Amino acid sequence: MFEQFQGRSSHGQLERKFEPAIENAKPTQQIRNITVTGVIRDASKTIHYPKQPKIQIIKVPQRCGSNQTVCSVQGFSTLTYDDIRPKEKEESVINKIMRLFTREVDPCKCLPYQNNTCIKAKEWLGNYDVDKLKNKYSNLLESKCEPKIIKQINLDVERTHPLKNYPQKLSDLQQVLIAYSKYNKIVGYMQGMNFVAAGLIYHSDNFVAFELLRKLIDLLQMNDLYSPMSPGLSKHIQLIDYLILTKMPDLYQHFCINGVKVDMFCASWLFSLFGMMIPIQKQVKLFDCIFRYGWTYIYQLIIGFLLYHQEILMSEDMTGIICILSQQNYRIDDNELEVDWDELLDASLNVKISKTFIQEMHMRFDTKIQTFKI
C-alpha cells in the first residue's frame, strides 16, 4: 500500500539560515529606532503597505544602557519589533522589515491586548450567528465543571508561554478551555489544547475562540488524540515515521543508528499543533493552512521542519538530536537555532504529500490494535 511513495523525495531541501548566538553581550548606551514611512490608512480604516517602504534606522542615546529595537510606523503608534535581536546587523534588520512589507498583505493586524475578532478569525469560522454563539458559550460557562479538570486547566494556563505577558488573555484562555471541557465531555481537557486555544484567542473574542477550537478539533477528528491514553497518537506517529523514511531516507537511517524514535520529539508538536513552537504572532499562516488542508499540512510542516534542520541533525547523536528538536518547544525567545517561521511555513507547502493518501490511511487505522488495516 506504500508503493506510490517509495524512493527519494523530489522537493529538495529547505535553505537553513543560522546566525551565531551572541555570548556575554554587553549592554550598550543606544536604542535603535526603525522608522518605516509610506504606510497609510484610508477612510475605511484599511491599512495599505507600499511595495517598497522607506526604512531608516536611527541610533538614539539612552542612559539606562539597555539593548532595544523599536519599530516606528508612519501614522501609527510606536511598537517594539520582537523579531529583531538587539545586536542584529542593520542589513539583516532591513531585510526582515522589507520581507514583512513586501509579501502578500495580511489583513490580520492583531495585538495580544486587543479584545476583538479579526478578519482572519472570521474567515476561519465562516458564516455564523453572533448571538447564537454568545448564548451557547455563556450557557456552557454557567454549567458545572469537574474540579480536577479546572485544576489541570489552571496549571496549564500558567505554563502557556506565548501569552505569559498578557494576564487578560490568560484569563480568557482559562474560560475557553473550561467551556470546551464542558462541551466535549468525552475528551474533557487534554494538555496541548491550551497552546491551540491560545493561538485562536490571539485573533478573536472568547466565544469565537471557543467555536474555532471546536471546529478545529472536529475538522481534524482529534477526539482519539485528546482522549485518555491518546489512542490516536500511534496513528500519526506511524505515518510520520513512514514519511521520514520515504522523504528523508538518510536522516531516517541516522535516527535508527542513534536510537531516535519519532515519538521522542513529535508528540508535543501534535498535541499542540505546533502552538508551543511557533511564536503566536506567526501563527496566522499556520491556521490558514490547517483549516484548509487539515492533517496533510501538519505532516508537511513536520517534514519541512526536519528538512530545515537536517544538516545539523545529521551531525548529532541521540542526545544532540533530541535537544535540537525539543528545545524549540519552550525557547521561543532567543533560540540558538533561529527559525524563519515565515519562510518555513510557506516552504512546507512544497513538501509533496497526497491528501487523498493521508485520508485513506486515517480511515484504515484501527485504534484497538493500533495499526493500519490493509
Side-chain angles (χ1 to χ4, degrees):
M1 65 178 175
F2 294 117
E3 287 75 12
Q4 60 178 312
F5 274 88
Q6 293 295 333
R8 286 180 178 268
S9 155
S10 60
H11 54 74
Q13 182 172 333
L14 298 175
E15 180 183 358
R16 293 189 312 113
K17 293 182 179 179
F18 294 121
E19 293 182 18
I22 300 173
E23 296 182 359
N24 302 321
K26 297 180 180 180
T28 67
Q29 297 295 323
Q30 294 179 323
I31 178 172
R32 293 195 300 186
N33 189 349
I34 303 170
T35 302
V36 181
T37 60
V39 182
I40 61 173
R41 189 197 303 263
D42 64 20
S44 65
K45 296 186 178 180
T46 300
I47 302 173
H48 299 274
Y49 296 93
K51 292 183 178 179
Q52 294 184 336
K54 294 181 180 179
I55 300 170
Q56 183 179 16
I57 299 180
I58 305 171
K59 293 184 177 180
V60 183
Q62 189 182 46
R63 293 182 180 179
C64 67
S66 62
N67 284 310
Q68 291 185 13
T69 299
V70 173
C71 182
S72 177
V73 180
Q74 181 187 32
F76 302 89
S77 59
T78 299
L79 303 173
T80 300
Y81 197 78
D82 297 329
D83 197 34
I84 298 174
R85 293 177 296 174
K87 288 193 175 182
E88 191 164 354
K89 293 181 180 179
E90 292 188 1
E91 181 180 358
S92 175
V93 172
I94 291 176
N95 287 337
K96 283 186 176 181
I97 296 176
M98 286 295 291
R99 194 160 61 242
L100 173 69
F101 287 100
T102 56
R103 65 173 182 258
E104 291 185 10
V105 175
D106 178 5
C108 170
K109 301 300 170 189
C110 288
L111 295 173
Y113 47 78
Q114 293 176 332
N115 288 311
N116 53 17
T117 298
C118 78
I119 191 170
K120 295 302 295 185
K122 293 176 181 178
E123 179 183 316
W124 301 330
L125 193 57
N127 296 327
Y128 65 97
D129 185 318
V130 174
D131 293 333
K132 186 176 180 179
L133 289 186
K134 284 183 176 180
N135 290 335
K136 178 181 179 181
Y137 181 70
S138 298
N139 291 336
L140 285 169
L141 289 179
E142 291 173 0
S143 60
K144 292 183 179 180
C145 183
E146 294 184 27
K148 64 178 182 180
I149 292 180
I150 295 178
K151 181 179 179 180
Q152 187 60 56
I153 288 175
N154 289 340
L155 287 173
D156 288 345
V157 164
E158 294 299 322
R159 301 167 182 161
T160 310
H161 54 75
L163 297 177
K164 63 183 179 181
N165 295 324
Y166 309 102
Q168 181 55 51
K169 286 293 185 181
L170 288 175
S171 177
D172 294 343
L173 175 61
Q174 178 198 41
Q175 296 299 305
V176 169
L177 293 174
I178 289 175
Y180 186 81
S181 71
K182 297 175 183 178
Y183 167 79
N184 190 344
K185 295 184 179 180
I186 296 176
V187 170
Y189 169 76
M190 183 73 170
Q191 288 179 311
M193 279 186 188
N194 51 317
F195 288 98
V196 179
L200 298 172
I201 285 173
Y202 186 84
H203 297 283
S204 60
D205 293 298
N206 291 12
F207 70 95
V208 175
F210 161 79
E211 190 63 19
L212 285 171
L213 180 63
R214 181 204 63 76
K215 180 179 180 179
L216 191 61
I217 292 176
D218 288 351
L219 174 69
L220 299 177
Q221 299 179 348
M222 296 180 72
N223 274 7
D224 63 352
L225 183 64
Y226 283 149
S227 296
M229 306 302 294
S230 302
L233 178 60
S234 179
K235 169 179 64 181
H236 301 295
I237 294 297
Q238 290 181 53
L239 269 175
I240 294 165
D241 187 84
Y242 169 73
L243 291 171
I244 297 174
L245 170 63
T246 55
K247 302 293 181 184
M248 310 173 69
D250 293 340
L251 183 63
Y252 186 87
Q253 182 180 25
H254 185 67
F255 280 179
C256 292
I257 292 173
N258 287 278
V260 176
K261 297 181 179 180
V262 173
D263 56 357
M264 291 179 176
F265 59 84
C266 207
S268 59
W269 302 354
L270 298 173
F271 285 122
S272 70
L273 297 182
F274 277 85
M276 63 165 48
M277 295 178 64
I278 303 176
I280 203 164
Q281 299 88 347
K282 306 285 186 180
Q283 291 181 23
V284 173
K285 182 69 174 182
L286 173 70
F287 286 120
D288 269 344
C289 292
I290 290 178
F291 276 113
R292 183 174 182 179
Y293 302 110
W295 277 109
T296 304
Y297 181 73
I298 297 170
Y299 297 147
Q300 288 176 310
L301 183 55
I302 289 171
I303 298 301
F305 185 78
L306 294 175
L307 284 169
Y308 195 90
H309 294 95
Q310 182 173 16
E311 183 178 335
I312 191 170
L313 290 172
M314 290 292 293
S315 66
E316 297 287 343
D317 58 11
M318 182 176 72
T319 302
I321 291 169
I322 299 302
C323 180
I324 290 168
L325 296 179
S326 63
Q327 73 170 341
Q328 299 288 345
N329 294 352
Y330 301 101
R331 295 183 59 199
I332 283 179
D333 299 322
D334 299 323
N335 274 329
E336 290 182 8
L337 296 180
E338 183 184 355
V339 176
D340 186 335
W341 286 107
D342 292 321
E343 177 192 16
L344 179 54
L345 289 166
D346 282 330
S348 295
L349 286 167
N350 297 323
V351 178
K352 295 182 179 180
I353 299 176
S354 167
K355 185 176 182 179
T356 301
F357 170 74
I358 296 301
Q359 290 174 338
E360 289 179 353
M361 293 305 297
H362 281 189
M363 291 175 62
R364 291 182 181 186
F365 188 77
D366 190 325
T367 55
K368 293 182 179 180
I369 60 177
Q370 293 288 287
T371 191
F372 296 96
K373 292 182 178 181
I374 301 176

